Amino acid sequence: MAALSFTHNHQPSDNRRGGSHNHRHGPIVEEIEGLIKVFNDGCVERPPIAPTVSATVHPSAKVTAFDIKLSNDTWARAYIPDAAAFSPSVTLPLLVYFHGGGFCVGSAAWSCYHDFLTDLAVTARCVIVSVNYRLAPEHRLPAAYDDGVNVVSWLMKQGSNGGYSWVSKCDLSNLFLAGDSAGANIAYQVALKITNTSKNLKGVILIHPFFGGEARTFSEKQQQSKSSALTLSASDTYWRLALPRGASRDHPWCNPLVSSSARLPTTMVFMAEFDILKDRNMEMCKVMRSHGKRVEGIIHGGVGHAFHILDKSSVSRDRIHDMMYRLRNFIHP
């Protein structure tokens, strides 16, 4: 059985999974139930846990969306608010977004991301490019970081050489990087890589950033809340699959506190009360502030990890509304 993956047209390359096919690959060596199985022979199975959708949006959304093929391995989905799409003189800030999924699962075509970013583009008044990067363990880190850097570089080149017409709707001098969970980790690392060479990067937005460390924090030790999607066991498995072989959770890609973040621009960090990562994220904000950086930290109560794409409750909807307007104010100070 081939690894289940999402191609540019968002169709799984192989829908076979589980059952009598497992013996072909030997024993399972890593598993997060319902999300990913890694077999002894290196084959990877990802059940279709979320619907994948095309770039089509309803006319009432007031957004134009379309997909861009960047290479054989990566593509992106762009969202342009009608305010810019149909107004020749209007340009908007550019937000490059990275989806979550522990570096191992997820897609820019997942309906939860498509819906969230469609709304965010209008509310925050920005052009969004959502990156579909390579996944681990087939492509361990730094593959996702390299994909992020390449997408940003490609966008800047399009702006300078008069490439795709839609790029003219982007104010490339107002670039922001954002993501949730592992995607926030990617945004952070991409920012570190480009900040010395790009004066266009104005800010970084980290939603429940996925970091770790060998020492456990208080919130990681607590009993997992039913209101949060990320467990400590799943977190550890993601890191084993994503980091270079043999690396510990104190690798700087996992634990940013072992290296300097002083080069980052202004940063906004969203945290969730029931997220096991809350204490680690709070400590990260504290360290960044100690380096003299402007960091705005927001904790949303009553919700868990990645609630903005996973939780449909009324409490979550209120928090999502607050998140989007804070994002707008960050992008348009």
Side-chain angles (χ1 to χ4, degrees):
M1 188 195 313
L4 183 68
S5 60
F6 293 107
T7 61
H8 183 60
N9 63 2
H10 322 310
Q11 297 301 315
S13 59
D14 193 336
N15 275 324
R16 294 176 297 167
R17 62 186 189 279
S20 61
H21 298 287
N22 286 0
H23 71 277
R24 299 181 181 181
H25 309 296
I28 296 170
V29 294
E30 293 283 6
E31 180 178 11
I32 302 174
E33 187 175 358
L35 292 172
I36 188 170
K37 292 179 182 179
V38 181
F39 295 88
N40 187 56
D41 65 355
C43 286
V44 180
E45 178 184 291
R46 297 180 180 89
I49 58 175
T52 58
V53 296
S54 72
T56 303
V57 296
H58 192 274
S60 64
K62 300 180 180 179
V63 170
T64 299
F66 49 88
D67 291 339
I68 314 146
K69 186 170 183 178
L70 302 171
S71 71
N72 290 334
D73 297 313
T74 58
W75 57 272
R77 180 164 293 181
Y79 300 85
I80 303 180
D82 288 353
F86 302 120
S87 303
S89 61
V90 174
T91 60
L92 296 175
L94 172 62
L95 178 71
V96 178
Y97 195 93
F98 302 94
H99 68 77
F103 306 104
C104 298
V105 299
S107 170
W110 276 9
S111 60
C112 51
Y113 282 107
H114 182 65
D115 294 344
F116 174 72
L117 295 177
T118 296
D119 291 342
L120 181 62
V122 175
T123 303
R125 294 178 55 242
C126 62
V127 174
I128 299 177
V129 173
S130 177
V131 181
N132 202 75
Y133 52 86
R134 290 172 292 169
L135 298 176
E138 301 95 325
H139 305 282
R140 290 176 177 264
L141 297 175
Y145 303 152
D146 293 341
D147 290 346
V149 171
N150 289 339
V151 169
V152 172
S153 176
W154 181 86
L155 286 165
M156 295 300 127
K157 288 179 181 177
Q158 295 304 311
S160 62
N161 65 17
Y164 290 94
S165 59
W166 67 267
V167 180
S168 66
K169 303 301 179 182
C170 307
D171 178 1
L172 296 178
S173 66
N174 268 322
L175 169 66
F176 294 84
L177 300 181
D180 63 88
S181 195
N185 178 300
I186 296 170
Y188 176 90
Q189 295 294 344
V190 171
L192 288 179
K193 291 176 179 292
I194 71 171
T195 190
N196 287 336
T197 58
S198 176
K199 296 181 180 179
N200 296 336
L201 181 60
K202 302 305 182 190
V204 181
I205 300 161
L206 309 178
I207 303 173
H208 314 156
F210 184 48
F211 293 112
E214 287 297 313
R216 303 298 193 187
T217 65
F218 180 79
S219 61
E220 288 172 339
K221 294 176 183 178
Q222 297 308 293
Q223 185 175 359
Q224 179 64 34
S225 168
K226 293 181 181 179
S227 300
S228 190
L230 182 66
T231 66
L232 191 59
S233 174
S235 173
D236 288 351
T237 302
Y238 282 137
W239 283 119
R240 288 195 299 271
L241 294 175
L243 287 171
R245 295 185 185 276
S248 77
R249 292 192 305 274
D250 281 333
H251 190 288
W253 293 341
C254 177
N255 188 351
L257 301 187
V258 301
S259 59
S260 174
S261 59
R263 291 174 292 149
L264 278 185
T266 302
T267 304
M268 171 176 276
V269 182
F270 288 100
M271 296 161 275
E273 180 184 6
F274 298 140
D275 189 356
I276 63 170
L277 301 177
K278 181 187 70 173
D279 289 352
R280 194 171 294 280
N281 294 165
M282 291 175 64
E283 180 64 18
M284 178 181 169
C285 291
K286 179 181 177 181
V287 170
M288 290 176 66
R289 291 187 186 109
S290 73
H291 290 156
K293 289 299 174 181
R294 180 189 162 201
V295 180
E296 184 176 350
I298 301 99
I299 301 177
H300 285 118
V303 287
H305 187 77
F307 72 88
H308 63 298
I309 58 151
L310 298 176
D311 187 352
K312 302 298 184 182
S313 69
S314 59
V315 172
S316 178
R317 288 196 296 270
D318 290 342
R319 307 299 186 267
I320 293 170
H321 182 270
D322 178 76
M323 177 185 287
M324 288 191 177
Y325 279 91
R326 288 180 183 271
L327 276 163
R328 184 182 69 178
N329 293 337
F330 183 77
I331 293 171
H332 300 276

